[in-house]
Amino acid sequence: MKKIQMVDLSGQYQEIKNQINSSITQILETSAFINGPEVHAFQKELEGYLGVKHVIPCANGTDALQIAMMGLGLEPGDEVITADFTFAATVEVIALLQLTPVLVDVYPDTFNINIEALENAITPKTKAIVPVHLFGQCANMDAILALAEKHDLFVIEDNAQAIGAKYRSKNGETYMAGSMGHVGATSFFPSKNLGCYGDGGAIFTNDDQLAHTLRGIVNHGMYERYHHDVVGVNSRLDSIQAAVLRVKLPKLDGYCEARRNTARAYSKAFEGQEHIVAPKTINGCEGICDVCDCHVFHQYTLKITNGKRDELAQYLAKKEIPFGIYYPIPLHKQKAYLDERYKEEDFPVTNQLVKEVISLPMHTELDDEQINYITAMVIGFVNR
Ligand SMILES: *Cc1c(COP(=O)(O)O)cnc(C)c1O
């Protein structure tokens, strides 16, 4: 059996090596390393793939979130609501801009922001909601967009983990993850579903004015050369990363399908297991699909409900099966984000999830032998 990896970037590279190498070589030959034609071409191709009017490439996913918030003109003291159960980048940029992060609980089945908790957290100071499409599945965007409209709030989708996922709205339309809010942000970190070979990110919007504002912010607040109208940042996607992404974007749907196939095989093996809860795909198309294109499985995350998650983790390590605990501490308990307004009873789900979740190896190159080995070891241990 091939050695099991949490993410197999090198295996995936071997499949596309010729294309990648020749694309990178071309960049080296032309030496247009920054803002070259590859970046523009990738921008256009991603706009087409996502069905959005504007893509603004930038240096990473954290910058994408920060720049989105800067572009919306949020001001110190404005409250921004997001999920307690996410990667710290989401809340970090809120705090960095001196906005007030307001963390709320999530659902136990999808791990995404709880709509009732979100609604209860809205105050007159609330200016924006940041839904995180965690592990590859959209949050309940119908409900979020309705609340945003009712309370006049911006919606910034953190789409770092869900690029390529689809959302079936109750209005009958299907949307790409990241394209529904006022602005969407994503990351091309190598291990993300659409990863480059370094850092990269992008912001998406359908709003022409906002797109113009964002294009200036990523470039030192310049709208005309050496005229700085607003305080900006330096955040660029370089041409080599764009060249890699241009090779991988046409393969993204296939990569997502490979991940879903792995997820299907995992979930089939775990069916009927008393103490193992497999991830659920329900948002947007409840009752329509089981494991469908609404989920792109950035992570395949189990809940181990008999209190043996940590023992299982140790056992898997001994069996040379990599795993991840995403996330081991709820954000509201992180030193940097403590806030006296948080009460433990407001976070029953995240407080429980951090003890139960474990993510299994998930990438485009897993084979049946590896999947069978992983599921057999998990089931064997949990039932012993
Ligand atoms: C990865 C990630 C980010 C940040 O992306 P970087 O490119 O690493 O800065 C933001 N939010 C979520 C949910 C992520 O998973």
Side-chain angles (χ1 to χ4, degrees):
M1 188 173 63
K2 278 192 302 183
K3 186 170 162 43
I4 299 172
Q5 301 193 53
M6 193 66 188
V7 177
D8 184 3
L9 294 175
S10 126
Q12 193 188 59
Y13 167 66
Q14 293 308 321
E15 301 288 318
I16 52 176
K17 189 172 178 167
N18 290 341
Q19 268 174 290
I20 292 276
N21 289 8
S22 80
S23 291
I24 292 181
T25 306
Q26 213 181 326
I27 303 286
L28 300 180
E29 294 294 342
T30 60
S31 295
F33 296 118
I34 298 289
N35 285 338
E38 288 296 303
V39 178
H40 190 69
F42 171 66
Q43 173 198 319
K44 290 287 161 209
E45 287 158 10
L46 189 59
E47 285 167 357
Y49 177 80
L50 293 171
V52 294
K53 276 176 87 177
H54 304 282
V55 164
I56 298 99
C58 66
N60 59 67
T62 309
D63 272 10
L65 286 165
Q66 177 181 328
I67 293 158
M69 288 177 204
M70 290 170 77
L72 292 170
L74 301 180
E75 291 185 359
D78 288 351
E79 293 179 2
V80 179
I81 305 174
T82 193
D84 189 36
F85 195 62
T86 173
F87 181 55
T90 320
V91 65
E92 176 179 79
V93 298
I94 300 172
L96 265 177
L97 293 173
Q98 297 186 308
L99 311 170
T100 305
V102 177
L103 297 167
V104 301
D105 211 5
V106 299
Y107 290 120
D109 48 4
T110 61
F111 312 110
N112 278 326
I113 194 162
N114 180 306
I115 300 302
E116 208 183 315
L118 164 59
E119 187 163 19
N120 288 337
I122 295 174
T123 75
K125 287 187 173 169
T126 308
K127 289 290 152 57
I129 306 168
V130 185
V132 182
H133 303 322
L134 202 74
F135 301 155
Q137 167 171 238
C138 284
N140 184 345
M141 289 303 291
D142 282 330
I144 291 165
L145 293 170
L147 277 178
E149 179 146 348
K150 184 171 161 199
H151 297 274
D152 198 17
L153 308 174
F154 292 121
V155 175
I156 302 156
E157 295 177 68
D158 182 342
N159 197 33
Q161 300 190 1
I163 196 160
K166 298 196 173 64
Y167 182 76
R168 288 188 174 69
S169 169
K170 295 210 166 65
N171 72 12
E173 300 282 333
T174 298
Y175 300 96
M176 298 302 288
S179 72
M180 293 168 274
H182 297 89
V183 53
T186 202
S187 164
F188 305 122
F189 185 77
S191 66
K192 305 283 178 175
N193 288 28
L194 178 61
C196 57
Y197 292 169
D199 272 310
I203 314 158
F204 339 123
T205 185
N206 287 312
D207 180 328
D208 299 340
Q209 184 58 45
L210 179 60
H212 173 75
T213 304
L214 294 169
R215 289 207 174 92
I217 292 174
V218 297
N219 188 26
H220 302 289
M222 272 198 286
Y223 296 91
E224 201 186 316
R225 209 163 166 74
Y226 298 119
H227 291 252
H228 304 274
D229 296 353
V230 295
V231 177
V233 294
N234 167 26
S235 189
R236 296 183 284 238
L237 181 73
D238 68 67
S239 305
I240 289 180
Q241 301 312 332
V244 170
L245 290 165
R246 288 192 72 198
V247 174
K248 290 178 76 172
L249 181 60
K251 302 181 187 301
L252 178 58
D253 285 341
Y255 289 156
C256 292
E257 192 51 32
R259 287 171 177 273
R260 275 195 291 273
N261 284 335
T262 296
R264 286 186 187 109
Y266 276 151
S267 290
K268 192 154 187 289
F270 295 130
E271 239 166 47
Q273 289 294 321
E274 199 186 339
H275 305 297
I276 304 174
V277 181
K280 290 210 168 54
T281 52
I282 62 166
N283 273 337
C285 55
E286 193 162 4
I288 297 172
C289 64
D290 176 14
V291 177
C292 73
D293 59 4
C294 290
H295 204 318
V296 293
F297 289 96
H298 177 60
Q299 299 294 345
Y300 181 91
T301 303
L302 295 175
K303 290 187 288 183
I304 306 298
T305 56
N306 61 354
K308 292 201 176 153
R309 194 272 315 269
D310 290 335
E311 287 166 65
L312 170 65
Q314 280 171 13
Y315 179 75
L316 293 180
K318 255 190 283 171
K319 297 289 172 189
E320 298 198 26
I321 297 173
F323 60 89
I325 308 290
Y326 309 117
Y327 296 92
I329 304 171
L331 284 176
H332 80 273
K333 288 191 180 172
Q334 297 282 2
K335 241 195 220 167
Y337 305 113
L338 295 177
D339 186 324
E340 59 199 16
R341 85 173 85 185
Y342 298 141
K343 295 193 223 69
E344 283 316 307
E345 61 266 32
D346 290 337
F347 301 97
V349 177
T350 57
N351 284 338
Q352 185 71 19
L353 286 177
V354 294
K355 293 184 232 158
E356 291 185 347
V357 290
I358 185 163
S359 300
L360 298 183
M362 176 50 81
H363 52 80
T364 57
E365 314 300 315
L366 283 160
D367 62 34
D368 289 346
E369 190 186 10
Q370 294 174 312
I371 293 168
N372 291 339
Y373 176 74
I374 294 165
T375 54
M377 290 300 137
V378 172
I379 292 168
F381 178 83
V382 173
N383 288 320
R384 80 179 180 187

